[in-house]
Amino acid sequence: MVKIILKKLGEIPEKFEEEILNIIKECYEKLPHNLEVLEVLLFEKISFMRSFYSKEREIIGVKMEDFEESFIAIHEAWRGIPRIAICLEKMEKIPKIIQLAALRHEVGHSILHGSIEYYIFPVTKKLAEFSKKFNLSKKYVLNLIHLISMAVKDFEVTKFLLKGGYAEEQIAYSEYLIKPSEEDLIAWQLSKTNFANTILCLAGRLKDLACLIALQPLLENQRIEKMIKKGLYYIPHEIFEKMMKFTNKLPQLMKGDTFQSFIAVTDAFIEEFL
C-alpha cells in the first residue's frame, strides 16, 4: 500500500479532498507499481500554488521556466519522492472526465517517473551543436530539455494508462489538451519572428502531441491528424507539415527507456527543424 502524505494550503472542502484521494488510491490498486510513498499537495487557489512553487524553485535551484503553471495538475520529484499538486480553483473550471484523466495521468507519472533522476536529462550532441550555432543561453537549453523531456514522459504515461484500462478518459484528455490555450497563441505571436523562440514554442506543444500520438492504434491516423490540425491551426502550413512529420515519428523514436527515448526525440526534433 502506498503511504500518502497529504498537505493542504488554503480551505479545501472535505468532499474534494476525499474524491482526490479515492481516485489516487484506486489507480494504485489497479496499476502495477512498486511505489511506497506519495506526497499530495492540495491548493485552494492558483495564487497559492504559484507562490508555493516559486519558493520551491528558488530553494531547490530549478533553473527552467515555470511551464507547468497552466497545467491542470502537476507531478514532480524535486525533493526525491513523487509529489502531485492539485489546485481546487483549476479543477472547478474543467469537466469531470478531464479532472479524472488529469489526476490519473499524474499518478502514472508517480509510478513511471517518481524519482529525481527523471528530472535530470543530458545535453545531447545535436542539442550542443544547435546551442553553439545560435549562441543560445544555458537557460534556453534547459527550457528546451525540459519541454522535450515532458513530451517523452507524457507519451510513456499515456501508453501506460491505456494498458491499465483508462482509454476513454485519456482520449478525452488528449482532445482537451490539443486545443491551443491563450498562452500558446500569445507565445506564438511573440516568438514567430525569432527562430530560436519559435523552436521553443513548438517544443512546448510536443507534450500535447505526444499524448495524442500515443493513442495509436486506438485512434485512427485520420482522426488524430484532424485533431492536430485543429490544435495547431495558428501555425503556418510549412511548419505544421514539419510538426506532423516529426509527430508521426514519435512511436518509432520511443523504443528505449526514458533517457534513450529523450536522446532520440531531442536529436530528431533538432534535425527536423534545423
Side-chain angles (χ1 to χ4, degrees):
M1 182 179 291
V2 179
K3 179 183 178 182
I4 297 177
I5 302 167
L6 178 65
K7 295 181 180 178
K8 296 180 281 186
L9 290 90
E11 295 294 323
I12 304 296
E14 189 175 327
K15 184 181 178 182
F16 178 74
E17 175 187 329
E18 187 178 327
E19 285 179 355
I20 295 295
L21 293 179
N22 284 342
I23 292 167
I24 291 172
K25 289 174 183 177
E26 181 267 339
C27 285
Y28 288 135
E29 289 172 2
K30 188 172 182 179
L31 297 169
H33 67 86
N34 296 311
L35 203 64
E36 295 181 356
V37 62
L38 172 76
E39 187 171 43
V40 175
L41 305 177
L42 299 182
F43 297 89
E44 178 190 359
K45 297 181 181 297
I46 295 171
S47 59
F48 294 175
M49 192 170 180
R50 185 184 298 123
S51 176
F52 175 86
Y53 271 103
S54 176
K55 291 176 183 175
E56 279 290 275
R57 299 172 84 83
E58 187 177 342
I59 292 168
I60 295 167
V62 177
K63 302 297 183 184
M64 62 272 186
E65 296 289 342
D66 185 10
F67 296 107
E68 292 88 348
E69 187 175 325
S70 61
F71 295 177
I72 300 167
I74 298 171
H75 171 270
E76 40 84 8
W78 296 348
R79 290 185 177 271
I81 63 168
R83 182 161 62 176
I84 294 175
I86 303 129
C87 178
L88 173 61
E89 186 179 353
K90 285 185 179 183
M91 283 290 193
E92 289 177 333
K93 296 177 180 179
I94 59 176
K96 202 72 177 177
I97 190 171
I98 306 302
Q99 293 180 26
L100 191 61
L103 272 176
R104 286 178 173 154
H105 183 89
E106 303 312 329
V107 170
H109 277 303
S110 74
I111 294 171
L112 298 182
H113 313 120
S115 59
I116 190 65
E117 66 191 90
Y118 290 101
Y119 295 84
I120 304 170
F121 288 85
V123 177
T124 69
K125 183 179 178 181
K126 282 190 170 58
L127 179 52
E129 292 169 353
F130 172 65
S131 175
K132 186 176 180 180
K133 181 177 180 179
F134 291 95
N135 194 29
L136 302 174
S137 67
K138 182 180 179 181
K139 187 172 184 178
Y140 179 99
V141 173
L142 289 174
N143 284 338
L144 188 56
I145 286 173
H146 183 55
L147 291 171
I148 295 174
S149 69
M150 282 198 297
V152 168
K153 289 184 285 187
D154 276 12
F155 182 96
E156 292 178 335
V157 165
T158 302
K159 286 293 189 186
F160 179 64
L161 292 174
L162 291 181
K163 289 179 182 178
Y166 295 123
E168 183 181 350
E169 69 197 37
Q170 290 308 307
I171 292 172
Y173 184 59
S174 293
E175 286 183 307
Y176 180 86
L177 287 181
I178 198 62
K179 297 172 185 174
S181 66
E182 186 177 344
E183 290 86 355
D184 290 325
L185 299 177
I186 292 171
W188 181 258
Q189 287 302 316
L190 293 174
S191 305
K192 63 182 181 180
T193 57
N194 180 293
F195 176 71
N197 289 340
T198 296
I199 294 298
L200 211 56
C201 272
L202 295 174
R205 294 309 313 270
L206 285 182
K207 169 184 167 67
D208 309 326
L209 294 169
C211 288
L212 192 53
I213 208 73
L215 296 173
Q216 291 177 329
L218 194 63
L219 292 187
E220 294 178 356
N221 290 346
Q222 285 183 329
R223 182 178 173 186
I224 289 176
E225 186 172 345
K226 187 177 180 181
M227 289 162 68
I228 293 174
K229 281 181 178 178
K230 283 186 177 180
L232 301 183
Y233 74 87
Y234 57 94
I235 292 176
H237 178 73
E238 184 180 348
I239 298 176
F240 172 80
E241 288 298 317
K242 285 188 174 186
M243 281 294 278
M244 276 301 304
K245 182 181 175 184
F246 174 75
T247 302
N248 286 328
K249 289 180 184 176
L250 278 178
Q252 286 70 48
L253 295 169
M254 297 283 298
K255 294 295 186 182
D257 63 24
T258 305
F259 302 97
Q260 292 167 335
S261 294
F262 166 78
I263 292 170
V265 171
T266 299
D267 287 351
F269 181 73
I270 290 169
E271 281 181 1
E272 188 65 51
F273 288 96
L274 274 183

